[in-house]
Amino acid sequence: MRRTIVQPADLSGPALAEFKDWLGISRPNEDPLLVDLLAASLATCEAFTAQAPLEQTIEERISVKQGIYRLGSRPARMLLNAELIDQIGTRSSLSGQGHGFNLDHDGVATADLKFDLEGQAVAVTLLVGIAPDWPSVPKALRQGIIRLAAHFYRDRDSERMMQPPSSVTALWRPWRTMRLT
């Protein structure tokens, strides 16, 4: 399964303002760097919790073979589109062909392909995220994202691999979901 972020979460407004306030920065000259650090922190939070904290549009590609596929991005809020990608890359809609695409109450999306399809992949586009905007992100997640971005900012010239500090993971741990396969 291949996952692509089609439209990333918006970190340029309230998220950037909160981060700059945390760092005590008022000038806009470092805004692009700060947004990139927030994006890295958001991605780390998503990897740790197995949930997207902030709404974003993603596309997951699944096999064209018959079967039920559980999509990896969570929590899914809305199914936007399902398309067959043929051998040359042309896309065609799968609506009305009898295949099932479902979202359960836990935000897990599934694709039920009723028969094999001719093509290279099925692309399912979803809106995922715990919160629709930055102010709606739960405070513990938001605080951890800001703290980790600040950690990245302070150590931005370091050559060593950066792991989230335990103070950050402690904030995220209640939101962590485990996947048993």
Side-chain angles (χ1 to χ4, degrees), residues 4-179:
T4 305
I5 298 173
V6 176
Q7 181 175 344
D10 180 21
L11 298 169
S12 62
L16 178 60
E18 186 174 336
F19 185 34
K20 288 174 74 171
D21 186 53
W22 177 270
L23 294 173
I25 296 174
S26 58
R27 296 183 315 181
N29 59 328
E30 290 191 277
D31 285 2
L33 168 68
L34 299 178
V35 169
D36 287 347
L37 294 174
L38 279 169
S41 183
L42 186 72
T44 304
C45 178
E46 182 175 352
F48 185 85
T49 63
Q51 299 184 75
L54 193 55
E55 189 173 88
Q56 58 188 331
T57 303
I58 60 96
E59 177 184 274
E60 288 196 32
R61 291 189 180 188
I62 59 173
S63 172
V64 293
K65 300 294 181 196
Q66 175 184 0
I68 297 174
Y69 298 90
R70 190 174 172 153
L71 303 179
S73 298
R74 293 192 177 82
R77 298 167 63 92
M78 183 186 311
L79 173 68
L80 300 175
N81 201 5
E83 298 173 310
L84 174 65
I85 304 172
D86 69 16
Q87 298 301 345
I88 59 172
T90 305
R91 293 173 176 242
S92 58
S93 177
L94 286 178
S95 65
Q97 294 188 17
H99 303 290
F101 297 93
N102 302 302
L103 300 177
D104 72 11
H105 65 281
D106 289 330
V108 176
T110 55
D112 183 3
L113 301 181
K114 301 295 184 186
F115 50 86
D116 288 354
L117 298 165
E118 292 290 326
Q120 57 177 286
V122 171
V124 182
T125 307
L126 301 162
L127 187 63
V128 299
I130 294 171
D133 55 24
W134 182 255
S136 302
V137 173
K139 288 182 182 183
L141 292 177
R142 201 169 68 219
Q143 182 70 13
I145 292 165
I146 294 293
R147 282 178 175 229
L148 183 59
H151 176 74
F152 290 159
Y153 181 78
R154 285 190 302 275
D155 290 348
R156 65 188 176 277
D157 295 326
S158 175
E159 302 256 340
R160 63 188 164 90
M161 180 68 170
M162 289 192 251
Q163 297 294 323
S166 58
S167 61
V168 170
T169 59
L171 290 166
W172 292 345
R173 195 164 287 115
W175 291 91
R176 191 172 201 178
T177 59
M178 304 304 270
R179 295 181 193 166

